[in-house]
Amino acid sequence: MIGSARTTPDVYPSRNGTTTSWIPRREPVVYGPTGDIIGPPLDRQSVRSYEESGYVVLDGLISEQETTALRREVESLASSDWVRGQPSSVTEPGSNELRSLFSIHTLYAPFRELAEDPRILDIVRLLLNDEVYIHQSRINIKPAFFGKEFFWHSDFETWHVEDGMPGMRAISCCINLTDNTRFNGPLMLIPGSHKHFVPCVGETPRDHYRASLKRQQYGTPDPGSLSRLIGMGGIVSVESGCGSALLFDCNLMHASSGNLSPWPRTNLFFVYNAVSNQLVDPFSGLPPRPDFIATRGEPASLGRR
Ligand code: 6CS
Ligand code: FE
């Protein structure tokens, strides 16, 4: 049963005017018993590093054969007028270049199968210590020369305010379907930023996603908070090869610059939410976002326990 925002207290208020005073994180980062060594590719040191920094890179998690097949499917989907015409397809601001394809795990079986692959699922389940379901999946294509930036943001801030995600018990898995180099707009992270909830000023416009998925202007932190976070944790640019995966906490502050190179930066994202953290009514008080952005209703746990 989906709770209502009225019965679920909003412990992370944001976009309520002008306050930007940080709220300490209430939830653990790693819910599972950290003593457990998962075994390759995650060991005790990696789990501890994830807890401290908010992310872990798993080099070469997916084979070249797998990424080649998935990339071909992305190219085929991106060239389909039907797919491009779907509301779940988002173009770049100011051009008709495809920026993102949402709900990708429902469009093509191999993406769904990968989302349930034990190489990812076993790690996510241990870190969250719960059954999980896909809150959101997407391909961010960031096309050559024209792929625009994603400004600094916490995904959790948006998922809390606009989707009604109660607490910080979700993990994003970003899988590189192309190399992510210094030239094509790799993800940039602020290590340790996941420990602080940074309220954003302003409001949430109705149907905000129509603009925010192209260029986010609400739900972005103030420069003072960003400077403080970066002063504490620095900036890490995740330059990693095709087939590598980045697991990052839902509240980790991240961004990426535009792509001015001739090489696309195509990344596949699966967002795993704990079934115990299923969505309630959006804390914005606005109607929920469409299902292709945020899975609502009784979560169907992935894979087998
Ligand atoms: O609104 C969202 O859910 C999306 N926005 C960003 C900038 N990152 C997460 C997610 O894809
Ligand atoms: Fe994001």
Side-chain angles (χ1 to χ4, degrees):
M1 198 282 269
I2 295 183
S4 80
R6 285 172 297 288
T7 57
T8 311
D10 185 359
V11 296
Y12 294 114
S14 183
R15 306 187 213 178
N16 291 335
T18 58
T19 174
T20 59
S21 311
W22 298 3
I23 298 170
R25 179 185 185 114
R26 299 163 64 94
E27 296 84 5
V29 177
V30 175
Y31 286 76
T34 41
D36 278 11
I37 292 187
I38 300 170
L42 266 197
D43 57 19
R44 195 191 304 270
Q45 176 47 36
S46 314
V47 171
R48 207 171 285 133
S49 158
Y50 176 85
E51 195 161 39
E52 193 50 35
S53 64
Y55 72 95
V56 64
V57 176
L58 307 175
D59 282 317
L61 189 72
I62 310 295
S63 72
E64 187 177 339
Q65 188 188 2
E66 290 173 292
T67 51
T68 302
L70 292 171
R71 206 172 39 247
R72 282 216 186 98
E73 184 50 35
V74 171
E75 285 151 11
S76 155
L77 289 168
S79 62
S80 146
D81 289 340
W82 181 85
V83 168
R84 293 177 68 93
Q86 296 303 300
S88 52
S89 296
V90 181
T91 51
E92 290 287 351
S95 87
N96 197 30
E97 293 279 342
L98 213 49
R99 177 177 175 91
S100 301
L101 288 173
F102 277 82
S103 201
I104 190 74
H105 70 292
T106 66
L107 278 181
Y108 184 56
F111 288 112
R112 168 84 196 197
E113 287 157 17
L114 183 55
E116 299 194 73
D117 191 304
R119 288 171 289 179
I120 304 169
L121 210 47
D122 289 353
I123 296 176
V124 169
R125 274 196 183 125
L126 186 125
L127 293 174
L128 297 180
N129 199 24
D130 199 350
E131 291 299 325
V132 295
Y133 69 97
I134 295 287
H135 163 67
Q136 178 184 106
S137 71
R138 64 190 187 279
I139 298 259
N140 280 353
I141 294 168
K142 198 171 275 194
F145 298 120
F146 302 107
K148 295 289 182 281
E149 78 284 355
F150 288 82
F151 190 75
W152 292 106
H153 64 281
S154 152
D155 292 337
F156 175 74
E157 193 276 346
T158 291
W159 297 338
H160 181 74
V161 171
E162 300 192 48
D163 297 332
M165 184 180 281
M168 299 179 186
R169 195 167 188 172
I171 292 178
S172 285
C173 176
C174 169
I175 296 170
N176 297 357
L177 296 186
T178 60
D179 288 343
N180 280 220
T181 73
R182 79 189 81 161
F183 302 115
N184 65 353
L187 269 168
M188 297 187 290
L189 314 174
I190 305 177
S193 57
H194 62 306
K195 297 176 186 170
H196 313 280
F197 180 78
V198 180
C200 298
V201 298
E203 53 166 15
T204 304
R206 190 168 278 274
D207 291 339
H208 178 223
Y209 69 93
R210 294 183 195 284
S212 71
L213 297 179
K214 285 176 180 282
R215 177 170 286 131
Q216 190 171 0
Q217 288 171 301
Y218 293 95
T220 52
D222 62 289
S225 291
L226 284 171
S227 301
R228 264 181 67 201
L229 285 170
I230 294 167
M232 292 157 65
I235 297 177
V236 166
S237 171
V238 186
E239 293 160 26
S240 50
C242 178
S244 292
L246 165 71
L247 290 180
F248 61 104
D249 180 80
C250 56
N251 189 47
L252 188 69
M253 205 63 79
H254 60 288
S256 59
S257 305
N259 181 5
L260 298 177
S261 84
W263 306 293
R265 191 221 72 180
T266 306
N267 288 355
L268 165 62
F269 289 79
F270 296 126
V271 180
Y272 297 91
N273 190 26
V275 295
S276 55
N277 194 41
Q278 62 180 274
L279 306 185
V280 298
D281 291 343
F283 290 94
S284 61
L286 292 172
R289 298 199 295 175
D291 222 53
F292 69 77
I293 297 183
T295 305
R296 306 195 75 84
E298 196 54 35
S301 306
L302 284 183
R304 70 242 159 275
R305 187 55 165 153

